[in-house]
Amino acid sequence: MAGFAALSAAIPTGILPSAGVAYVHYLSFMVCFGALVLERRLIRPNPNRQDATLMVITDVVYGIAALALLLSGIARVLHFGQGSSFYTENPLFWWKVGTYLAVGSLSLYPTITYILWAIPLRKGELPQVSEALANRLRWILNIELVGFAAIPFLATLMARGVGLAS
Ligand code: HEM
Protein backbone atom coordinates (compact mmCIF):
# COMPACT_ATOMS: atom_id res chain seq x y z
CA MET A 1 0.00 0.00 0.00
CA ALA A 2 2.80 2.43 0.99
CA GLY A 3 4.69 1.40 -2.15
CA PHE A 4 1.63 2.18 -4.30
CA ALA A 5 1.24 5.62 -2.64
CA ALA A 6 4.96 6.36 -3.23
CA LEU A 7 4.58 5.28 -6.89
CA SER A 8 1.56 7.51 -7.51
CA ALA A 9 3.34 10.45 -5.82
CA ALA A 10 6.33 9.91 -8.13
CA ILE A 11 4.21 10.14 -11.31
CA PRO A 12 4.09 13.79 -12.48
CA THR A 13 0.56 15.18 -12.88
CA GLY A 14 -0.61 15.09 -16.46
CA ILE A 15 1.27 11.87 -17.22
CA LEU A 16 -1.45 9.55 -15.93
CA PRO A 17 -4.05 10.12 -18.71
CA SER A 18 -1.45 9.59 -21.43
CA ALA A 19 0.03 6.54 -19.66
CA GLY A 20 -3.50 5.22 -19.05
CA VAL A 21 -4.49 5.50 -22.72
CA ALA A 22 -1.20 3.87 -23.79
CA TYR A 23 -1.89 1.08 -21.28
CA VAL A 24 -5.42 0.53 -22.68
CA HIS A 25 -3.87 0.38 -26.17
CA TYR A 26 -1.40 -2.38 -25.13
CA LEU A 27 -3.87 -4.27 -22.95
CA SER A 28 -6.57 -4.35 -25.64
CA PHE A 29 -3.99 -5.54 -28.17
CA MET A 30 -3.03 -8.40 -25.84
CA VAL A 31 -6.68 -9.34 -25.23
CA CYS A 32 -7.39 -9.33 -29.00
CA PHE A 33 -4.40 -11.55 -29.68
CA GLY A 34 -5.23 -13.91 -26.78
CA ALA A 35 -8.86 -14.20 -27.95
CA LEU A 36 -7.76 -15.05 -31.50
CA VAL A 37 -5.32 -17.70 -30.23
CA LEU A 38 -8.08 -19.23 -28.08
CA GLU A 39 -10.55 -19.24 -31.01
CA ARG A 40 -7.90 -20.85 -33.18
CA ARG A 41 -7.36 -23.59 -30.57
CA LEU A 42 -11.10 -24.21 -30.09
CA ILE A 43 -12.28 -24.33 -33.69
CA ARG A 44 -13.22 -27.86 -34.82
CA PRO A 45 -16.03 -29.53 -36.80
CA ASN A 46 -19.25 -29.95 -34.79
CA PRO A 47 -17.97 -28.52 -31.49
CA ASN A 48 -19.57 -29.57 -28.20
CA ARG A 49 -21.83 -27.16 -26.34
CA GLN A 50 -19.10 -25.95 -23.98
CA ASP A 51 -16.60 -25.15 -26.76
CA ALA A 52 -19.22 -23.51 -28.99
CA THR A 53 -20.39 -21.28 -26.10
CA LEU A 54 -16.79 -20.40 -25.23
CA MET A 55 -16.14 -19.44 -28.89
CA VAL A 56 -19.15 -17.11 -28.89
CA ILE A 57 -18.04 -15.46 -25.59
CA THR A 58 -14.42 -15.20 -26.80
CA ASP A 59 -15.55 -13.44 -29.96
CA VAL A 60 -17.58 -10.92 -27.96
CA VAL A 61 -14.50 -10.20 -25.79
CA TYR A 62 -12.42 -9.88 -28.98
CA GLY A 63 -14.92 -7.38 -30.42
CA ILE A 64 -14.90 -5.21 -27.27
CA ALA A 65 -11.07 -5.28 -27.10
CA ALA A 66 -10.79 -4.42 -30.83
CA LEU A 67 -13.03 -1.40 -30.25
CA ALA A 68 -10.94 -0.32 -27.21
CA LEU A 69 -7.81 -0.72 -29.36
CA LEU A 70 -9.25 1.53 -32.06
CA LEU A 71 -10.55 4.18 -29.64
CA SER A 72 -7.31 4.31 -27.60
CA GLY A 73 -5.35 4.53 -30.90
CA ILE A 74 -7.48 7.45 -32.07
CA ALA A 75 -7.09 9.14 -28.65
CA ARG A 76 -3.31 8.78 -28.92
CA VAL A 77 -3.30 10.34 -32.40
CA LEU A 78 -5.51 13.25 -31.36
CA HIS A 79 -4.45 14.03 -27.77
CA PHE A 80 -1.71 11.90 -26.24
CA GLY A 81 0.86 11.27 -28.93
CA GLN A 82 3.48 13.30 -30.76
CA GLY A 83 0.96 15.53 -32.59
CA SER A 84 -1.53 14.21 -35.13
CA SER A 85 0.50 15.27 -38.19
CA PHE A 86 3.44 13.17 -36.91
CA TYR A 87 1.22 10.16 -37.66
CA THR A 88 -1.04 11.23 -40.51
CA GLU A 89 1.96 12.32 -42.64
CA ASN A 90 3.60 8.93 -42.23
CA PRO A 91 2.65 6.18 -44.76
CA LEU A 92 3.56 3.58 -42.11
CA PHE A 93 0.69 4.91 -39.98
CA TRP A 94 -1.74 4.35 -42.86
CA TRP A 95 -0.34 0.86 -43.43
CA LYS A 96 -0.97 0.22 -39.74
CA VAL A 97 -4.55 1.54 -39.89
CA GLY A 98 -5.14 -0.32 -43.19
CA THR A 99 -3.88 -3.62 -41.72
CA TYR A 100 -6.12 -3.11 -38.68
CA LEU A 101 -9.14 -2.44 -40.92
CA ALA A 102 -8.31 -5.44 -43.14
CA VAL A 103 -8.07 -7.74 -40.11
CA GLY A 104 -11.28 -6.21 -38.73
CA SER A 105 -13.16 -6.82 -41.99
CA LEU A 106 -11.84 -10.37 -42.16
CA SER A 107 -13.14 -11.05 -38.66
CA LEU A 108 -16.71 -10.25 -39.80
CA TYR A 109 -16.99 -13.73 -41.30
CA PRO A 110 -16.17 -15.63 -38.06
CA THR A 111 -18.26 -13.15 -36.03
CA ILE A 112 -21.37 -13.65 -38.20
CA THR A 113 -20.78 -17.42 -38.06
CA TYR A 114 -20.69 -17.39 -34.22
CA ILE A 115 -23.75 -15.12 -34.02
CA LEU A 116 -25.60 -17.75 -36.06
CA TRP A 117 -24.39 -20.44 -33.60
CA ALA A 118 -26.07 -18.57 -30.76
CA ILE A 119 -29.50 -19.42 -32.27
CA PRO A 120 -29.25 -23.25 -31.93
CA LEU A 121 -27.30 -22.91 -28.67
CA ARG A 122 -30.15 -20.95 -27.06
CA LYS A 123 -32.58 -23.69 -28.12
CA GLY A 124 -30.32 -26.26 -26.45
CA GLU A 125 -29.11 -27.59 -29.84
CA LEU A 126 -25.56 -27.81 -31.21
CA PRO A 127 -24.35 -25.76 -34.23
CA GLN A 128 -23.61 -27.79 -37.38
CA VAL A 129 -19.98 -27.07 -38.32
CA SER A 130 -18.61 -28.95 -41.34
CA GLU A 131 -14.92 -29.79 -41.79
CA ALA A 132 -14.84 -27.24 -44.68
CA LEU A 133 -16.24 -24.43 -42.48
CA ALA A 134 -13.85 -25.26 -39.63
CA ASN A 135 -10.94 -25.15 -42.10
CA ARG A 136 -12.08 -21.82 -43.54
CA LEU A 137 -12.32 -20.32 -40.04
CA ARG A 138 -8.87 -21.74 -39.17
CA TRP A 139 -7.35 -19.98 -42.20
CA ILE A 140 -9.09 -16.70 -41.47
CA LEU A 141 -7.86 -16.83 -37.87
CA ASN A 142 -4.30 -17.63 -39.08
CA ILE A 143 -4.33 -14.56 -41.34
CA GLU A 144 -5.75 -12.37 -38.56
CA LEU A 145 -3.00 -13.55 -36.19
CA VAL A 146 -0.30 -12.72 -38.75
CA GLY A 147 -1.90 -9.28 -39.28
CA PHE A 148 -2.05 -8.62 -35.54
CA ALA A 149 1.57 -9.71 -35.12
CA ALA A 150 2.69 -7.35 -37.94
CA ILE A 151 0.92 -4.23 -36.65
CA PRO A 152 3.17 -3.68 -33.56
CA PHE A 153 6.21 -3.79 -35.86
CA LEU A 154 4.71 -1.01 -38.00
CA ALA A 155 3.81 0.83 -34.75
CA THR A 156 7.32 0.70 -33.31
CA LEU A 157 8.81 2.08 -36.56
CA MET A 158 6.08 4.72 -36.86
CA ALA A 159 6.59 5.85 -33.22
CA ARG A 160 10.26 6.48 -34.04
CA GLY A 161 9.51 8.59 -37.10
CA VAL A 162 10.60 5.99 -39.68
CA GLY A 163 8.72 6.66 -42.92
CA LEU A 164 8.47 10.44 -42.41
CA ALA A 165 9.97 12.63 -45.15
CA SER A 166 13.14 14.19 -43.67
C1 HEM B 1 -6.55 2.26 -36.21
C2 HEM B 1 -6.10 1.86 -35.07
C3 HEM B 1 -4.86 2.41 -34.39
C4 HEM B 1 -4.43 3.69 -34.23
C5 HEM B 1 -5.08 4.95 -34.73
C6 HEM B 1 -3.19 3.62 -33.46
C7 HEM B 1 -2.44 4.71 -33.06
C8 HEM B 1 -1.30 4.65 -32.29
C9 HEM B 1 -0.54 5.77 -31.80
C10 HEM B 1 -0.87 7.21 -32.07
C11 HEM B 1 0.53 5.30 -31.11
C12 HEM B 1 1.58 6.15 -30.38
C13 HEM B 1 2.90 6.18 -31.10
C14 HEM B 1 3.88 7.06 -30.33
O1 HEM B 1 4.28 6.69 -29.23
O2 HEM B 1 4.22 8.13 -30.86
C15 HEM B 1 0.45 3.87 -31.14
C16 HEM B 1 1.39 3.03 -30.57
C17 HEM B 1 1.34 1.69 -30.63
N1 HEM B 1 0.34 0.92 -31.21
FE1 HEM B 1 -1.32 1.61 -32.15
N2 HEM B 1 -2.93 2.31 -33.18
C18 HEM B 1 -3.92 1.54 -33.74
C19 HEM B 1 -3.99 0.18 -33.74
C20 HEM B 1 -3.06 -0.64 -33.19
C21 HEM B 1 -3.11 -2.06 -33.24
C22 HEM B 1 -4.22 -2.86 -33.93
C23 HEM B 1 -1.99 -2.52 -32.59
C24 HEM B 1 -1.56 -3.92 -32.36
C25 HEM B 1 -1.96 -4.95 -33.04
C26 HEM B 1 -1.23 -1.39 -32.14
C27 HEM B 1 -0.05 -1.47 -31.46
C28 HEM B 1 0.68 -0.40 -31.04
C29 HEM B 1 1.96 -0.48 -30.33
C30 HEM B 1 2.71 -1.75 -29.96
C31 HEM B 1 2.38 0.84 -30.09
C32 HEM B 1 3.65 1.30 -29.38
C33 HEM B 1 4.75 1.68 -30.34
C34 HEM B 1 5.98 2.19 -29.59
O3 HEM B 1 5.85 3.07 -28.75
O4 HEM B 1 7.08 1.70 -29.87
N3 HEM B 1 -1.91 -0.25 -32.52
N4 HEM B 1 -0.67 3.48 -31.86
Side-chain angles (χ1 to χ4, degrees):
M1 200 66 194
F4 185 73
L7 176 67
S8 33
I11 300 174
T13 359
I15 290 289
L16 266 184
S18 127
V21 171
Y23 172 68
V24 171
H25 203 59
Y26 300 134
L27 186 67
S28 46
F29 164 49
M30 286 188 281
V31 173
C32 279
F33 201 82
L36 289 176
V37 170
L38 184 58
E39 282 184 26
R40 178 66 184 77
R41 294 284 298 152
L42 286 172
I43 184 69
R44 57 177 57 91
N46 299 322
N48 62 32
R49 186 175 176 76
Q50 201 189 358
D51 283 355
T53 310
L54 190 54
M55 298 273 292
V56 174
I57 295 170
T58 308
D59 201 61
V60 172
V61 172
Y62 167 75
I64 295 169
L67 184 65
L69 186 57
L70 175 66
L71 294 179
S72 56
I74 293 173
R76 293 184 85 179
V77 171
L78 297 179
H79 305 294
F80 300 107
Q82 309 185 47
S84 49
S85 56
F86 178 80
Y87 307 110
T88 54
E89 285 169 15
N90 190 337
L92 283 180
F93 169 76
W94 294 110
W95 273 101
K96 183 183 171 189
V97 173
T99 312
Y100 173 88
L101 293 178
V103 169
S105 324
L106 211 54
S107 67
L108 284 176
Y109 183 77
T111 298
I112 291 167
T113 306
Y114 307 144
I115 290 172
L116 294 176
W117 289 5
I119 301 165
L121 283 170
R122 284 173 78 180
K123 289 193 206 149
E125 294 163 13
L126 290 176
Q128 302 293 311
V129 181
S130 64
E131 180 71 51
L133 175 59
N135 255 336
R136 207 172 307 137
L137 290 170
R138 258 185 221 117
W139 270 105
I140 290 176
L141 289 165
N142 286 348
I143 298 169
E144 285 185 62
L145 281 165
V146 170
F148 260 96
I151 294 173
F153 181 57
L154 297 172
T156 50
L157 295 176
M158 168 200 86
R160 283 152 188 84
V162 176
L164 280 174
S166 43

